[in-house]
Amino acid sequence: MIEKVIGCFKGLFLLGALVLIPAACSQGAADEPEPVVPETPNEGNEVLDSDSVMVSLAPTSLEWEISPMSRASSDDLYALIGYQSNDELEIGDTEMTQVILALFDDPTLISLKLAKNRYYHFVMTYVPNGKNVIERRGDGWCEPFYLSWDEDAIPDLNTVVYKRAYNTVGFCDYGDATPTGKKNSFVNEVLRYFGTYRNFKPEVNNQKIDIELYRWQYGIKITASDFYEGRVVFRCDDNKSSTLEMYGNSNGIATMEHYLQFPLNDNGDTKFDYNNPLEFAESFRRREKIDILYITPSNEEILLWSSGYNFPFKRMKMHTLEFSLSDAIVNGGISPDLMEAATDPMEEVSWEF
């Protein structure tokens, strides 16, 4: 029976692989290669209903005035996780099952076989030029395109796997976009986009799922005056591999400016606790400890500022900090803020022995 269902839908896959985003170049369609259509997977059909249709995806960027991909952009990488539920998800619902994993370098090739009588919910990560900027691991790439808990569930490039993975943490949502040549770097500048879609119900063939992708970066700019020697360090969670540094110079002023990428929350359910992906993006806070330290020429560390375990920055905002290094060291890294003047009257209270 399964073989018969698969045979019936081979023709539908040819209809599902539509070109969704125009090529950036101006060459004619006749010069473009025919897209490779993914074949129907042979495993996991128990999660698919026989009354199903083929749909495709159209990721869009809301940050840049560009077409985020074309067939020429073969070095881009997209990770997709799909969840299935019997009913629509309301805010706070967790009654859904992960049923789809996909890894692609061209979103026009993403065709999904979905059951008509189910609801689907998607999480997508996109890294431009990902093949070159993400660290390689085996035949694939590190997070956010890697499953450390269930490597057998990682799809081959340009394939869809209809299978429930043991644990999808790392594949799409939590991945720290490990940059090439800098393994296990928690803080880095790899450009990354992220988006979600909740409560998609397939009804007819060739529907498009428009996933809005948001640039997932934070900015910091630190300017230190009276800075002639040593280093000022921005560090995440006491992890020395996640350290950004600025060095003193002869004019006494140094500036460090970075666009940073931070991992997302590893709880997949929280992404659907919002009405749309922008609301999630603007509400997200990373609970990590951020420190700014001064490292003396003798490698002594002096803490200048700490966030505690409450990362205070907002996505797509450049957070600036200016200070005198000598004053910060003298004050122990704390800028005093007197809340009362010496002439303010005091409230009289009884003094009991």
Side-chain angles (χ1 to χ4, degrees):
M1 180 64 183
I2 293 177
E3 289 78 8
K4 182 179 295 183
V5 171
I6 292 173
C8 292
F9 286 100
K10 280 187 175 180
L12 293 177
F13 269 97
L14 296 175
L15 297 175
L18 298 177
V19 177
L20 306 178
I21 301 176
C25 59
S26 60
Q27 69 180 34
D31 297 329
E32 297 180 356
E34 289 296 324
V36 178
V37 180
E39 294 185 359
T40 306
N42 292 322
E43 62 177 345
N45 286 295
E46 67 279 358
V47 303
L48 298 175
D49 192 275
S50 59
D51 184 16
S52 57
V53 297
M54 298 302 301
V55 301
S56 51
L57 288 92
T60 58
S61 166
L62 299 188
E63 309 291 353
W64 288 0
E65 291 298 324
I66 61 171
S67 176
M69 43 255 132
S70 68
R71 287 183 188 159
S73 303
S74 58
D75 288 332
D76 296 342
L77 286 174
Y78 302 81
L80 178 74
I81 297 179
Y83 301 86
Q84 184 188 71
S85 64
N86 293 331
D87 303 302
E88 283 190 286
L89 282 185
E90 301 293 339
I91 299 297
D93 285 349
T94 59
E95 296 297 321
M96 58 181 176
T97 302
Q98 179 265 314
V99 293
I100 293 171
L101 288 172
L103 179 61
F104 279 78
D105 60 10
D106 183 347
T108 67
L109 299 179
I110 304 178
S111 294
L112 306 176
K113 182 180 180 182
L114 306 179
K116 286 185 178 180
N117 59 350
R118 298 290 188 270
Y119 289 89
Y120 291 87
H121 325 281
F122 300 96
V123 176
M124 175 177 275
T125 288
Y126 160 48
V127 177
N129 198 30
K131 293 180 183 178
N132 299 316
V133 299
I134 300 294
E135 184 74 19
R136 297 284 308 195
R137 176 167 295 191
D139 296 329
W141 296 268
C142 289
E143 295 176 338
F145 310 107
Y146 178 74
L147 281 174
S148 57
W149 298 98
D150 192 356
E151 294 187 21
D152 292 337
I154 302 176
D156 293 331
L157 187 62
N158 293 328
T159 62
V160 178
V161 174
Y162 298 92
K163 176 181 180 181
R164 183 175 183 179
Y166 171 70
N167 192 331
T168 57
V169 170
F171 180 69
C172 190
D173 54 349
Y174 184 80
D176 58 3
T178 305
T180 300
K182 195 175 181 182
K183 296 180 180 180
N184 302 320
S185 175
F186 193 76
V187 175
N188 59 70
E189 298 189 83
V190 172
L191 177 60
R192 176 178 170 186
Y193 291 80
F194 177 84
T196 62
Y197 192 104
R198 187 182 67 183
N199 290 329
F200 175 79
K201 189 173 184 180
E203 296 176 343
V204 296
N205 278 320
N206 300 328
Q207 284 179 265
K208 295 180 182 179
I209 306 169
D210 294 316
I211 296 185
E212 299 173 349
L213 299 178
Y214 293 87
R215 181 175 163 190
W216 210 268
Q217 286 185 308
Y218 304 80
I220 62 166
K221 181 179 180 180
I222 300 173
T223 302
S225 58
D226 300 321
F227 184 20
Y228 298 95
E229 60 181 4
R231 297 171 290 151
V232 170
V233 167
F234 178 96
R235 183 177 296 166
C236 181
D237 204 24
D238 299 322
N239 186 345
K240 292 189 176 181
S241 70
S242 295
T243 297
L244 302 171
E245 300 181 342
M246 57 190 294
Y247 292 85
N249 55 29
S250 59
N251 65 14
I253 299 176
T255 300
M256 171 174 63
E257 183 171 332
H258 290 273
Y259 294 91
L260 304 178
Q261 183 269 344
F262 282 90
L264 299 171
N265 196 315
D266 58 355
N267 185 352
D269 296 341
T270 62
K271 298 174 191 59
F272 301 111
D273 286 346
Y274 300 87
N275 291 314
N276 56 66
L278 179 59
E279 185 179 329
F280 169 70
E282 299 301 334
S283 303
F284 180 82
R285 294 292 182 276
R286 186 68 197 174
R287 303 298 179 181
E288 301 295 341
K289 181 172 175 282
I290 304 295
D291 293 335
I292 297 177
L293 308 100
Y294 173 62
I295 313 297
T296 69
S298 59
N299 284 326
E300 177 188 0
E301 292 189 357
I302 300 175
L303 180 64
L304 302 179
W305 176 86
S306 178
S307 69
Y309 285 92
N310 185 15
F311 182 59
F313 305 142
K314 293 193 68 175
R315 185 196 69 88
M316 290 303 295
K317 302 294 183 183
M318 177 63 72
H319 300 80
T320 62
L321 176 65
E322 298 184 16
F323 61 91
S324 163
L325 182 59
S326 59
D327 288 347
I329 294 173
V330 169
N331 293 322
I334 299 174
S335 298
D337 189 4
L338 298 179
M339 303 306 294
E340 295 91 12
T343 56
D344 288 347
M346 293 186 181
E347 180 184 0
E348 294 185 6
V349 294
S350 61
W351 185 4
E352 297 180 359
F353 288 92

